[in-house]
Amino acid sequence: MVFTGFKSDIGIWVAINATYTSAEEPYQSYGMEWTWGIGQASIIGRLYGIFDGKESGDFWQFRQYWDNVNNVGVLVQFGHNGITGIGTV
């Protein structure tokens, strides 16, 4: 059986950052994209900035999956320099 609880999360969301754009904060928008993982049993996400209509590199990458042993959703977050985080959702 394939867990389909993530179906509503698939897609791209863009948040406008115009109010806070400055020399220190150049991104006009931020994007969050979620796609299916292998067998639609997990989802893969990424957070990135948008400047002049072009995407920056990823700031964060994510993997979210259903832990069928502990019966809980898990989110793993990956950042630069090996920074990671893990928690339940």
Side-chain angles (χ1 to χ4, degrees):
M1 181 172 141
V2 174
F3 177 74
T4 59
F6 300 124
K7 189 174 185 176
S8 64
D9 295 330
I10 301 302
I12 298 173
W13 291 265
V14 175
I16 305 301
N17 191 47
T19 303
Y20 305 103
T21 301
S22 67
E24 295 79 32
E25 179 64 36
Y27 298 103
Q28 296 147 341
S29 302
Y30 287 92
M32 186 77 188
E33 178 179 11
W34 289 96
T35 58
W36 285 114
I38 297 171
Q40 294 187 348
S42 66
I43 56 176
I44 301 166
R46 65 188 194 99
L47 173 67
Y48 56 91
I50 301 171
F51 182 77
D52 285 341
K54 296 180 182 174
E55 296 180 8
S56 69
D58 293 351
F59 299 133
W60 292 98
Q61 294 178 343
F62 309 91
R63 174 72 68 140
Q64 190 169 339
Y65 61 92
W66 184 255
D67 179 341
N68 60 354
V69 173
N70 296 307
N71 209 27
V72 65
V74 176
L75 177 68
V76 184
Q77 180 174 346
F78 306 92
H80 295 279
N81 299 322
I83 296 172
T84 59
I86 187 169
T88 57
V89 291

